[in-house]
Amino acid sequence: MGRNLSKADVLLYRVQDRQIAVKDYQARPFLARHTLGRLLVGRECRAYLGAGAVPGLAPFLGRLGPLTMATAWIDAIPLSDLPQGAASREFFDRLD
């Protein structure tokens, strides 16, 4: 579930032998989904298309609608769950 009313839900599905993450604003309040949701899904889709097949980036599977997009799932620890300072400056340089 999204962390608050402006955040998308990230749903995990298994399709055959593959895990797929679906980012979806459909359950958000009308104003959030039709402004912020549409804007952020469009922006993130363009970023994935621009990045191409960058190693370590979840493969982009497509936009499923105006409020929804899908990527392959990568098991990982969210940066927000790491202790402060655990990720090195080199990590962020590579990410950039």
Side-chain angles (χ1 to χ4, degrees), residues 20-69:
I20 297 172
V22 174
K23 190 170 193 176
D24 185 12
Y25 281 89
Q26 195 64 40
R28 298 297 125 228
F30 181 85
L31 189 57
R33 76 174 174 261
H34 287 291
T35 57
L36 193 58
R38 286 177 186 266
L39 173 75
L40 293 177
V41 167
R43 180 178 170 204
E44 193 165 348
C45 289
R46 286 189 302 278
Y48 269 104
L49 290 171
V54 172
L57 184 65
F60 179 60
L61 302 177
R63 189 168 186 166
L64 305 176
L67 305 171
T68 311
M69 59 173 281

Side-chain angles (χ1 to χ4, degrees), residues 12 18-22 48 57-62 70-75:
L12 180 60
R18 188 175 197 185
Q19 288 186 302
I20 297 172
V22 174
Y48 269 104
L57 184 65
F60 179 60
L61 302 177
T71 66
W73 178 263
I74 295 177
D75 280 325

